[in-house]
Structure formats: C-alpha cells, structure tokens
Amino acid sequence: EAGVVQSPRYKIIEKKQPVAFWCNPISGHNTLYWYLQNLGQGPELLIRYENEEAVDDSQLPKDRFSAERLKGVDSTLKIQPAELGDSAVYLCASSLGGRYWGYNEQFFGPGTRLTVL
Amino acid sequence: TQLLEQSPQFLSIQEGENLTVYCNSSSVFSSLQWYRQEPGEGPVLLVTVVTGGEVKKLKRLTFQFGDARKDSSLHITAAQPGDTGLYLCAGQGAGTALIFGKGTTLSVSS
C-alpha cells in the first residue's frame, strides 16, 4: 500500500514568489494534516481537514497561506508571497477519521523542503 | 498553551551504551506518542501510551508514561548506529491536535 505522497520534494524560490505543495494521502484516510517543521524542531500543525472541511486552521497564517482539499482526497498548500522565514519542511500526514480521530495513528509523507532566497 | 519539553536536545553516544530521553509537560495528556524521524523523511510512529504508569517495550526500546500522564520517557538499551535519528514525543489532549516536542537528536557511532 502506498504511503502519503508529497511533491515536490524540494523547492527553491526567491522571496515574494508564490509556491504550492501537493499531498496525496493514504487511500481511505479522511483526516489530512499539514505541518511545518523547522530544522531541529518538532512539527507544528498548520491545518487539519476532515474530508473536505478545514476543521482546525487556527495556526495557519491566513494573510499569505491558503490550503484546499476540494474532493476530500488530495490537498494543496499555497504560500503567496513567500518570505525568507518560510524556509522549512512542509509535512503532510493522514489518518483515519471519525469520532476518535485524535487516537488514530498519523502517517507522514516525506515532506517538501522549501528554501526561500 | 500546552507545551512539551524534551531533554536532552542532542545526544551523541557510542554503540552499546544506554540512554534515556525525557518528555515533560505541565499539562495532562490523554495519550502520548513517540516518533522517530530520519533525515529527509517524515516522522514514523514508534508507540502510543495511554494509561498512567504504562510501560511498553519495543525490542531494545522501553517507553513509560508518567502516573499523572504529564511526562514520558524513552530508554534505549545497547544503542546501535541504526538508532540514529530525531526522536519526537507528541501529546494528545482531549479533542485537540497532536502537540510535538522539539525533539532529541541522537547520534550513535560505532
């Protein structure tokens, strides 16, 4: 069974440019997460989806970050415009949804390493 | 705000040595998870502990959840170079998303 797929794996852009990351979760997983991970730090949640609904986006900087999960499967995270401080690894994870979503194992993708110059 | 403090932040040891990583919080968690992350990869779940005082073993790794469910420890016996990686603890509150600690970077040299 395929794991969580993310692309691209690496992205280098200049500041003020837009950038988008794509995630394909494990088949059947209703819950999808986007995390930001700085070097040597733990992941920090940006947004959580239950199917196509964003149920927790309190940590998403909405002035420049946006996300969508239109059909409740794949998801895209966008930054526009990117700033130097956005350089980090962006991780996508998925898990079974439902009433006990918080207790289900999260499976992480390999992440997209973003460098903003 | 719930915070998880991990210590030590870095650990460099020789093959065969034992080590313990700590994860502490002032908050109570309904469960606590330990992950290992290798460079260029996402975190991979090692174990979930749910009950206060619970001890789980995974080969040479022993995980313990504190009686008050505020802290946890990971003990590795006879570390091997393959144990090298970033170890993350993550706490789950009631109805909340996982909160990750900053991690412990372990390096085991042969």
Side-chain angles (χ1 to χ4, degrees):
Chain A
E1 181 181 336
V4 177
V5 179
Q6 290 189 248
S7 69
R9 293 294 311 273
Y10 306 92
K11 188 74 175 178
I12 300 174
I13 61 172
E14 293 188 348
K15 62 181 181 181
K16 300 185 182 180
Q17 294 300 307
V19 65
F21 315 124
W22 176 79
C23 173
N24 179 243
I26 292 174
S27 177
H29 281 191
N30 297 327
T31 306
L32 184 146
Y33 311 78
W34 282 103
Y35 289 91
L36 179 153
Q37 186 175 27
N38 289 305
L39 185 64
Q41 305 288 317
E44 300 172 33
L45 180 69
L46 290 172
I47 189 168
R48 173 173 65 93
Y49 281 93
E50 288 292 335
N51 299 305
E52 66 275 7
E53 181 182 1
V55 295
D56 184 357
D57 63 355
S58 57
Q59 301 303 312
L60 188 72
K62 298 179 183 64
D63 57 336
R64 298 184 299 107
F65 286 65
S66 64
E68 59 183 15
R69 194 185 184 198
L70 293 177
K71 296 183 179 180
V73 180
D74 294 0
S75 178
T76 302
L77 178 68
K78 297 179 182 178
I79 308 175
Q80 182 171 10
E83 297 179 352
L84 295 176
D86 296 332
S87 295
V89 174
Y90 291 83
L91 293 165
C92 179
S94 70
S95 67
L96 294 170
R99 182 177 179 182
Y100 300 104
W101 64 269
Y103 296 92
N104 295 320
E105 179 179 355
Q106 293 187 29
F107 295 83
F108 284 82
T112 297
R113 180 175 295 278
L114 173 67
T115 301
V116 182
L117 303 176
Chain B
T1 303
Q2 295 177 308
L3 292 174
L4 277 169
E5 300 287 339
Q6 277 191 248
S7 62
Q9 187 176 357
F10 299 98
L11 197 52
S12 182
I13 61 173
Q14 294 290 318
E15 182 177 3
E17 292 185 27
N18 301 331
L19 67 113
T20 302
V21 176
Y22 299 93
C23 179
N24 296 293
S25 176
S26 58
S27 302
V28 176
F29 291 99
S30 55
S31 68
L32 197 137
Q33 301 178 351
W34 284 93
Y35 290 80
R36 186 164 80 98
Q37 185 176 20
E38 297 189 31
E41 301 295 329
V44 175
L45 182 66
L46 296 173
V47 76
T48 300
V49 285
V50 179
T51 306
E54 182 177 3
V55 177
K56 283 191 173 180
K57 292 190 175 183
L58 185 64
K59 297 183 179 178
R60 295 176 293 100
L61 278 61
T62 301
F63 305 86
Q64 185 163 6
F65 202 12
D67 291 340
R69 290 186 289 134
K70 292 183 178 181
D71 55 86
S72 181
S73 64
L74 158 61
H75 183 78
I76 301 179
T77 303
Q80 299 177 359
D83 295 327
T84 293
L86 177 67
Y87 289 82
L88 296 158
C89 66
Q92 178 75 60
T96 66
L98 275 179
I99 297 170
F100 283 85
K102 292 186 176 182
T104 295
T105 299
L106 172 64
S107 175
V108 183
S109 53
S110 55

